[in-house]
Amino acid sequence: MAVQQSAGPDPYFPDNGDSRYRVHRYELTLDYRPGPNRLSGMARINAIAGRAALPEFQLNLADFKIGRIRVDGRQPHWTHRGGRLRIKPAKPLRAGAAFTVEIHWSGNPKPVNSPWGGIGWEELTDGALVASQPTGAPSWFPCNDRPADKASYLISVTCPSAYSVVAGGRLLTRTTKASTTTWVYEQAAPTSSYLVSLAIGKFQTVLLGDPGFGGVPMHGHIPAHLLPEFSRDFARQPAMMDLFQRLFGPYPFDEYAVVVADEEFDVPVEAQGLSLFGANHVDGARGSERLVAHELAHQWFGNSVSIADWRHIWLNEGLAKYAEWLWSERSGGRSAQQLAAVAHRLLSGMPQDIRIAAPGKKAMFDDRLYERGGVTIHAIRCALGDERFFHMLRAWAGLHRGGAVTTAMFTAHVNRFADEPLDGLLDAWVHRTALPALPVQAVPARPAQPPTNAESA
């Protein structure tokens, strides 16, 4: 699937990313020492220039020491200030030309500043964790940090053998030499830089369910003392995977992993093929099960089907929120109609001054965007009816697998499944601030067949 690139800088983060070229592949070779929190790395970046020649280009990288840079084997001129690495090749790159950048860097990784506090590389009590949404990727590697620029990744991490390394993708090799172990992961699917994640810690690894022939391998990586609670809290994840594949289409990646850090998080965070939870999300009572569903759903909506720029984040969060409601509906909990009504009441008591199709940088993660996004998806379901609605969702995930999309593309897609255009409905819900009336299903939905382990787990 060709990635839908936006024409210029991201309006919310104009200093991040460079739309004049795209990256095809990152190969990262990293060495990390948890005690001194010391990271050294080498990146080989394979990229393709856009429609115009490139006399210079930029990558994003936080405050590290740069050891060496080469473009197609030749030394360029470069500057590194304010998180922007500007590179001027010895000769301008021709329009459409493939080129390779090699960068060596080292230092003490730390979160980068954002309106939401520090994000990216986080040194933990005993290990490290990377959760980069939306602009934290430069906290640990040089990248073209824009969500539409999706590439494959090969990540090699060497660290002391007492630690495990978990990354999104398939573990290719694990090699121990003396006191260190090198872990090599491959993420072949196109991946946005903010969705590349890493967890380094002392984990116990468990298999979640039996994937069977052709199934999706799912693993949990958790502190050993949380295993009893984790085993109950995530017991129904295989049933979620089965349900979401029926509703959204095939799982878009090779594997799925869940990491639980021995720290508290405000909220879980999705990465590609991987979700990150805090110890506070594991209570042995399934108290965070809706979040388990939310993060799994992001693998289809947000990760495989990504957004062209951050204005369209409601497409990620609205669809993941609605997946929570679908899981509840299909596993014996409250119906999506009931949960939409709860969200609508909540929204009606809050300020109505947000347009979720373009919320502005400050409101990107506002609770109203999530809740209104979910009710918007429910409104579309009510307008289309279940058969066409779920056909629409499966087609959306399939047609744009590996790509990046916009709100206008979603509107056009929905209209292909409607008897009459739904532009007015979508305009009211996503482009206006006033809250429309609660949408109502003609017939409340109930599962024809509940998830296989819904009661037994």
Side-chain angles (χ1 to χ4, degrees):
M1 177 68 197
V3 172
Q4 172 77 27
Q5 294 271 32
S6 53
D10 189 304
Y12 294 173
F13 303 100
D15 290 339
N16 282 59
D18 188 334
S19 61
R20 297 172 297 170
Y21 72 97
R22 61 183 178 89
V23 177
H24 170 67
R25 183 172 177 81
Y26 292 85
E27 295 180 356
L28 307 178
T29 303
L30 308 173
D31 187 290
Y32 181 65
R33 296 293 182 264
N37 185 38
R38 184 73 180 176
L39 177 69
S40 59
M42 187 275 281
R44 185 181 299 276
I45 302 170
N46 298 320
I48 301 172
R51 296 180 179 178
L54 278 182
E56 55 86 28
F57 59 93
Q58 81 163 38
L59 292 155
N60 295 104
L61 180 64
D63 187 21
F64 289 97
K65 178 182 178 182
I66 305 294
R68 163 187 162 115
I69 298 178
R70 294 290 184 269
V71 177
D72 291 335
R74 302 181 66 181
Q75 183 172 341
H77 176 76
W78 57 270
T79 60
H80 183 212
R81 298 187 189 94
R84 303 176 80 175
L85 179 58
R86 298 181 183 273
I87 299 174
K88 184 178 181 180
K91 291 177 60 177
L93 300 166
R94 292 179 294 104
F99 63 99
T100 300
V101 185
E102 183 180 304
I103 302 171
H104 296 247
W105 75 100
S106 62
N108 299 107
K110 61 183 180 181
V112 295
N113 293 328
S114 82
W116 308 277
I119 54 174
W121 189 284
E122 188 77 41
E123 182 184 9
L124 303 180
T125 303
D126 193 15
L129 191 75
V130 178
S132 292
Q133 184 174 259
T135 56
S139 69
W140 63 293
F141 73 99
C143 56
N144 191 14
D145 192 33
R146 54 200 309 267
D149 194 14
K150 304 175 71 170
S152 67
Y153 284 78
L154 183 71
I155 303 175
S156 170
V157 183
T158 299
C159 66
S161 296
Y163 295 85
S164 297
V165 175
V166 183
R170 177 167 290 175
L171 177 63
L172 299 183
T173 62
R174 183 178 63 188
T175 307
T176 298
K177 293 182 180 179
S179 61
T180 64
T181 298
T182 299
W183 307 67
V184 180
Y185 285 87
E186 170 88 27
Q187 178 55 270
T191 307
S192 302
S193 53
Y194 83 93
L195 291 170
V196 183
S197 191
L198 198 64
I200 299 171
K202 296 175 180 176
F203 302 120
Q204 183 158 337
T205 298
V206 296
L207 181 67
L208 285 163
D210 181 2
F213 180 76
V216 179
M218 290 183 286
H219 291 87
H221 306 274
I222 65 269
H225 70 92
L226 291 176
L227 182 57
E229 292 84 358
F230 176 89
S231 297
R232 177 167 177 78
D233 291 339
F234 286 79
R236 302 209 292 184
Q237 185 175 278
M240 291 178 191
M241 178 67 80
D242 290 344
L243 174 66
F244 290 171
Q245 289 195 97
R246 292 203 302 270
L247 298 183
F248 309 148
Y251 178 72
F253 309 117
D254 292 331
E255 303 185 10
Y256 182 59
V258 168
V259 171
V260 178
D262 207 1
E263 310 265 344
E264 292 198 355
F265 289 1
D266 290 338
V267 293
V269 182
E270 74 273 12
Q272 188 127 318
L274 175 70
S275 293
L276 308 168
F277 291 79
N280 52 310
H281 299 123
V282 178
D283 60 8
R286 293 181 180 151
S288 297
E289 189 171 79
R290 71 171 186 86
L291 299 176
V292 177
H294 185 104
E295 302 310 325
L296 177 58
H298 269 312
Q299 303 306 318
W300 284 265
F301 306 118
N303 298 4
S304 176
V305 182
S306 302
I307 48 176
D309 64 58
W310 288 106
R311 289 173 297 182
H312 309 288
I313 188 173
W314 85 273
L315 287 170
N316 296 356
E317 302 304 342
L319 285 160
K321 170 60 70 173
Y322 200 67
E324 297 177 27
W325 301 351
L326 290 171
W327 167 249
S328 173
E329 181 173 274
R330 300 300 178 101
S331 62
R334 288 184 289 180
S335 70
Q337 181 65 48
Q338 291 171 316
L339 291 166
V342 171
H344 194 273
R345 285 196 298 273
L346 178 68
L347 289 163
S348 66
M350 303 174 79
Q352 295 179 32
D353 57 2
I354 185 173
R355 294 189 304 121
I356 63 171
K361 182 164 70 172
K362 290 183 179 179
M364 280 174 53
F365 302 110
D366 193 297
D367 286 346
R368 292 171 296 170
L369 182 139
Y370 290 65
E371 301 293 341
R372 184 159 173 160
V375 184
T376 299
I377 302 302
H378 189 65
I380 295 169
R381 180 183 180 185
C382 293
L384 293 179
D386 274 14
E387 183 176 353
R388 286 184 292 178
F389 172 75
F390 288 111
H391 188 191
M392 181 275 294
L393 279 188
R394 287 190 294 272
W396 178 250
L399 287 169
H400 298 289
R401 179 170 175 160
V405 297
T406 65
T407 300
M409 292 168 68
F410 184 68
T411 300
H413 177 81
V414 168
N415 280 335
R416 286 196 283 272
F417 295 83
D419 290 331
E420 297 180 356
L422 298 182
D423 298 79
L425 180 149
L426 282 158
D427 181 69
W429 278 100
V430 305
H431 293 290
R432 306 290 178 180
T433 57
L435 182 66
L438 175 69
V440 179
Q441 280 177 279
V443 179
R446 280 295 165 191
Q449 49 183 345
T452 54
N453 67 348
E455 275 68 47
S456 61

